[in-house]
Amino acid sequence: MSDSQTASASDLPRAWPFEEARKLADHVATRSSTGADERPALLETGYGPSGLPHIGTFGEVARTSWVRQAYTALTGRPSRLLAFSDDMDALRKVPDNVPQREMLQKYIGQPLSRVPDPFGTHESFAAHNNARLCAFLDSFGFEYEFASSTQYYTSGRFDAALRRVLEVHDQILAVILPTLGPDRRATYSPVLPLHPRTGEVMQVKMDAIDAAAGTVRWTDPATGEVFETPVTGGHAKMQWKADWAMRWYALGVDYEMSGKDLIDSVRLSGRICKILGGTPPAGLTYELFLDEQGQKISKSKGNGLSVEEWLRYAPPESLGQFMFNQPQRAKRLYFDVIPKTADDYLTHVDKARALQAENPAGNDLRANPAWFIHKGSVPEDAGSPVPFGMLLNLASVANADTPEVLWGFIRRYDSAVSPQTHPMLAELVKHAIAYYADFVRPAKTFRAPTDKERAALVDLAETLRGFEGEAADASILQNLVFEIGKRHGFEPLRSWFACLYEVLLGQTEGPRFGGFVALYGVPETIALIDAALLRDTQV
């Protein structure tokens, strides 16, 4: 890559995918320096098809896609994204969420691509989950190429690399053995032959390695029978860390990100890749998600949040926003982060639209998450004139159980707004109804105002009566609320807004109150205050 094609740190947009794209560009430049390797940059993500795709799968593919997008913008060069399924791995345990669990028990130790599909829709369990992966990725519009480990092994795609593994077998052992306990060390080999009779993936010690013939000799511990197995043609596969390294080497992977829990695996696989004669890919180590209690999310524990659950309460763009935010920082992934994340996305859309108006070329947009989420061009119908948090509060005070209730307020606020003109708002309205029903309504707890708060609320209601019959301006109303808080000596002023939320809305957080009054209506807000004060006297 020439100097004119390499961006300095100061030239890059202030967004982490561009920092990663520079690392990828440097990696590609190193392997291309001789002019002998001008193939497109290869980015890879991995998938274990023993289970269905999950929110972590979305995060890794989305983040890798954004690095790819930044790389294209940075260099103008082609790239590929390979979604690689480790479907030749052995079935280690029967998942809890599948039918015919007793049937699957008989296939423990078999490659996933040879395990029957308990759902009865595909030729194997792996094929079923691979199809679900592709459908999952397709539903989000990701651009990728699917790759099957079984197909790559059996077609001979990895044969040359597997023969190379045998040539450096002892060097690989020297890297891995010190990391293992004594029992595992005694039987470890980077090569896992498939049993010629049972088809089981065998984790046994190799009695002999024949690099010239491309075979390994091993003994079946159950029968004592000795076998000589070619490592080529799908008759064997590689052990996890060595498999990762062999794949990097065989395919020339340029970039692959992974979670913090795989730091040691990345380091060891990188060493093995170098032993094979390859260069480990560039990559990002991302932090893991935490649950409601701040504990690491575990698929087996089920203490996380699924993609389906997120999409019940917010649009997919908001999930993209969550994944975009600070990938190297641990974040809670629970239901209560959804509203703020949805509004973060809407805020970035508004900023992007303002920048597009100022600069039609759009270069400044590259630091905006919406530029990535929308693949470089923010659509005209993205965004919403009403924040998601405001819709939730409107649903709360109106006890809304259908979208029509919220649309009644929205149309009165702005008659030009409709589900047809603002499809994102229409989607948010539906999500707000669902979120309110499941989380807000069950948690609503009203408290009585203090004497000081009561006086301020009476003042607010009386002042608002002067606005009845007028077009409500959100900024004027917000300033009015501020002035009343100051007039009644609330210090800090946020304690006044806490009063409004807790006494009037029955929750600890809320919207910009002036905007809420403008949307809900001045007479309705007065009635809300009067009802809260009356409720207090009846307690």
Side-chain angles (χ1 to χ4, degrees), residues 12 78 421 532:
L12 295 177
T421 60

Side-chain angles (χ1 to χ4, degrees), residues 244-266:
W244 209 8
M246 183 275 295
R247 187 192 312 165
W248 291 344
Y249 167 71
L251 303 180
V253 176
D254 295 302
Y255 187 91
E256 183 160 2
M257 61 175 62
S258 55
K260 185 180 179 180
D261 55 335
L262 296 180
I263 288 177
D264 288 340
S265 298
V266 171

Side-chain angles (χ1 to χ4, degrees), residues 160 177 218 248 255 441 480:
L177 292 184
W218 54 280
W248 291 344
Y255 187 91
R441 183 163 54 196
L480 179 151

Side-chain angles (χ1 to χ4, degrees), residues 126-384:
H128 177 273
N129 287 341
N130 286 341
R132 292 290 296 272
L133 170 69
C134 293
F136 177 82
L137 298 181
D138 291 345
S139 71
F140 291 102
F142 290 122
E143 297 177 5
Y144 67 96
E145 301 169 32
F146 173 77
S148 158
S149 176
T150 298
Q151 195 276 328
Y152 274 45
Y153 270 105
T154 57
S155 69
R157 185 78 176 269
F158 287 152
D159 281 359
L162 292 167
R163 286 180 172 275
R164 176 61 181 158
V165 167
L166 297 190
E167 294 173 356
V168 295
H169 184 270
D170 290 347
Q171 295 179 56
I172 295 174
L173 287 181
V175 168
I176 297 294
L177 292 184
T179 69
L180 305 175
D183 292 342
R184 187 74 187 89
R185 193 181 303 144
T187 61
Y188 178 84
S189 170
V191 179
L192 302 177
L194 271 59
H195 199 294
R197 296 200 179 95
T198 68
E200 182 180 353
V201 180
M202 302 299 296
Q203 298 208 33
V204 292
K205 183 179 180 180
M206 296 298 103
D207 299 328
I209 302 293
D210 190 336
T215 61
V216 293
R217 190 167 71 246
W218 54 280
T219 302
D220 184 343
T223 65
E225 191 173 1
V226 176
F227 295 93
E228 186 154 353
T229 301
V231 296
T232 54
H235 298 288
K237 72 175 299 293
M238 297 289 291
Q239 189 88 244
W240 152 229
K241 296 180 183 69
D243 186 63
W244 209 8
M246 183 275 295
R247 187 192 312 165
W248 291 344
Y249 167 71
L251 303 180
V253 176
D254 295 302
Y255 187 91
E256 183 160 2
M257 61 175 62
S258 55
K260 185 180 179 180
D261 55 335
L262 296 180
I263 288 177
D264 288 340
S265 298
V266 171
R267 178 177 56 83
L268 291 171
S269 296
R271 291 177 63 187
I272 295 170
C273 183
K274 290 179 181 178
I275 290 171
L276 292 171
T279 301
L284 169 74
T285 299
Y286 54 81
E287 263 287 1
L288 305 178
F289 300 128
L290 307 176
D291 67 7
E292 184 183 20
Q293 307 302 324
Q295 302 298 311
K296 186 177 79 170
I297 283 179
S298 165
K299 284 188 291 181
S300 60
K301 291 181 181 178
N303 61 333
L305 180 64
S306 71
V307 171
E308 292 75 17
E309 288 170 327
W310 185 292
L311 296 183
R312 168 170 165 76
Y313 302 115
E317 292 87 351
S318 66
L319 180 55
Q321 180 69 55
F322 180 84
M323 293 300 174
F324 189 91
N325 292 341
Q326 298 177 302
Q328 292 174 292
R329 178 180 176 184
K331 297 192 292 289
R332 290 176 65 255
L333 177 56
Y334 207 66
F335 296 101
D336 57 0
V337 308
I338 293 176
K340 182 180 184 305
T341 306
D343 278 337
D344 284 348
Y345 160 73
L346 296 176
T347 297
H348 287 301
V349 168
D350 288 343
K351 291 179 179 178
R353 189 159 286 128
L355 282 172
Q356 283 179 322
E358 296 171 8
N359 176 18
N363 292 332
D364 292 337
L365 288 183
R366 297 181 304 167
N368 189 312
W371 184 82
F372 291 95
I373 293 169
H374 289 289
K375 301 180 182 178
S377 178
V378 181
E380 284 297 321
D381 59 4
S384 166

Side-chain angles (χ1 to χ4, degrees), residues 12 117 319 410 493:
L12 295 177
D117 177 17
L319 180 55
I410 294 169
L493 199 56

